[in-house]
Amino acid sequence: MTEGTQARTTVDRILVNGMAWTAVLRWSAQIVSWVGTAIAARILLPGDYGLVGMAMLAIGLVRMVEDFGMDAVLVQDRSIAGDRQARVAGFVLLLGACLCLVFIAISQLVADFFKEPQVAVLVSALSCLCITDAIQVIPRAELQRRMEFRRLALLQFLQVLATQTVVVGGAYLGWGVWALVLNTLFGSLVVTTLLLAWNPY
């Protein structure tokens, strides 16, 4: 067997193994999510979901584009390392911090738009997601570069497990809308911590 054939066989094995783990953990995460959501929905009020939906509307749209596709660039261009990687990380982190401050500044305007005063503090709290998302870009791209699909799938499963644990526990403890806010923040914090532990930079 030639060296090229061996390399392709190794890559194929990694991909198949990764797809298997991804399928198992993704379905497991989906089941946990369904169960947690069903339990929380029986306890929390529809208004709680509405308030979080209002707060997440703008933040959710920005989170989709805040890294300007840097994660894809980092995965495809393996020459980005060392100082170049540090500059990319600095740019993404600065952008995340600026977006966080912008959302805190406009939180009252968002609340006024929806005519729901409580939305302002929810937007301010959820704006922290812009920073945690930015911190995740480099280590997540490194996992994708190394084709560590098993860890990526495990990451998603643990995030869902963390979020559903907090939302169900918070609902039972009477946290109301904050059960939905804190579950999102805690899930993001868990993912960020694990990514930095696996890929410190």
Side-chain angles (χ1 to χ4, degrees):
M1 186 180 292
T2 64
E3 187 175 325
T5 304
Q6 287 179 334
R8 283 195 298 273
T9 302
T10 301
V11 171
D12 290 342
R13 187 168 60 250
I14 291 172
L15 289 174
V16 171
N17 188 45
M19 285 189 292
W21 275 102
T22 299
V24 171
L25 290 172
R26 184 163 292 178
W27 273 105
S28 299
Q30 193 63 59
I31 292 170
V32 171
S33 180
W34 285 336
V35 173
T37 301
I39 295 172
R42 289 177 60 86
I43 303 172
L44 298 175
L45 300 174
D48 295 331
Y49 287 94
L51 288 170
V52 171
M54 295 174 195
M56 283 295 296
L57 184 61
I59 292 177
L61 291 173
V62 170
R63 289 179 75 195
M64 293 172 61
V65 297
E66 67 174 323
D67 61 3
F68 291 107
M70 288 295 178
D71 53 345
V73 173
L74 288 165
V75 172
Q76 295 172 11
D77 190 350
R78 296 177 180 270
S79 67
I80 299 178
D83 289 342
R84 292 183 67 193
Q85 187 182 73
R87 285 194 292 272
V88 171
F91 169 74
V92 175
L93 285 169
L94 179 61
L95 179 62
C98 289
L99 288 172
C100 178
L101 294 174
V102 167
F103 277 117
I104 291 173
I106 68 170
S107 61
Q108 189 57 54
L109 293 176
V110 176
D112 292 342
F113 176 80
F114 288 111
K115 298 180 181 179
E116 286 287 353
Q118 196 174 356
V119 170
V121 67
L122 301 183
V123 170
S124 296
L126 289 167
S127 66
C128 296
L129 294 172
C130 295
I131 296 177
T132 55
D133 286 350
I135 296 172
Q136 293 174 21
V137 171
I138 300 295
R140 190 184 294 276
E142 284 296 318
L143 285 180
Q144 293 173 336
R145 271 184 179 181
R146 299 198 301 266
M147 295 188 294
E148 294 193 29
F149 303 116
R150 180 176 173 178
R151 277 191 171 181
L152 288 167
L154 178 61
L155 198 66
Q156 183 184 22
F157 174 76
L158 292 175
Q159 181 178 22
V160 171
L161 185 62
T163 57
Q164 296 308 311
T165 299
V166 172
V167 75
V168 172
Y172 272 112
L173 291 172
W175 293 353
V177 66
W178 284 101
L180 297 169
V181 173
L182 293 177
N183 87 314
T184 302
L185 294 174
F186 184 68
S188 184
L189 180 61
V190 168
V191 171
T192 303
T193 302
L194 287 173
L195 283 172
L196 288 176
W198 291 340
N199 292 281
Y201 69 96

